[in-house]
């Protein structure tokens, strides 16, 4: 597995764990403080790279065996702003 794939899966796993944590386990403000700077960093990269990262995150979701975590992981690219309005992250229509 390439290092980029490992890092994408590690980020996805961490982000999903934060997302699925109960409010008494992780304060929602703290959760936002943890994820938002990373999401902002991802939004600043070119559309082609955002699309590639979204694809890596979908691959990570396919490896997830827990259905709840998998659904959350599949939603992650959109949740962190990697996808453009057409949903693929490349900035093209369709």
């Amino acid at each position: 597995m390439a290092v980029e794939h490992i890092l994408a899966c590690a980020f996805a796993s961490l982000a999903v764990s934060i997302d699925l944590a109960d409010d008494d386990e992780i304060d929602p403000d703290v959760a936002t403080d943890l994820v938002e700077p990373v999401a902002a960093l991802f939004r600043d990269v070119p559309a082609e790279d955002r699309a590639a990262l979204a694809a890596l995150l979908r691959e990570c979701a396919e490896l997830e065996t827990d259905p709840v975590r998998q659904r959350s992981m599949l939603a992650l690219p959109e949740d962190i702003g990697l996808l453009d309005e057409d949903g693929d992250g490349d900035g093209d229509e369709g």
Side-chain angles (χ1 to χ4, degrees):
M1 190 180 294
V3 68
E4 293 88 359
H5 196 270
I6 293 168
L7 291 172
C9 288
F11 169 72
S13 180
L14 181 61
V16 165
S17 293
I18 291 169
D19 181 50
L20 296 178
D22 291 331
D23 289 354
D24 60 334
E25 294 174 326
I26 298 178
D27 181 280
D29 292 332
V30 172
T32 299
D33 289 346
L34 293 171
V35 176
E36 184 55 36
V38 178
L41 176 69
F42 290 153
R43 285 189 298 264
D44 287 342
V45 301
E48 184 177 315
D49 292 336
R50 288 195 316 271
L53 180 54
L56 284 172
L57 293 174
R58 285 190 291 271
E59 290 175 21
C60 296
E62 290 174 13
L63 299 173
E64 179 58 58
T65 58
D66 180 294
V68 173
R69 290 181 60 82
Q70 185 180 52
R71 279 191 299 276
S72 182
M73 207 172 284
L74 285 169
L76 190 56
E78 184 175 354
D79 291 349
I80 62 173
L82 289 178
L83 303 179
D84 292 327
E85 291 198 16
D86 61 352
D88 63 6
D90 67 6
D92 295 334
E93 294 297 319

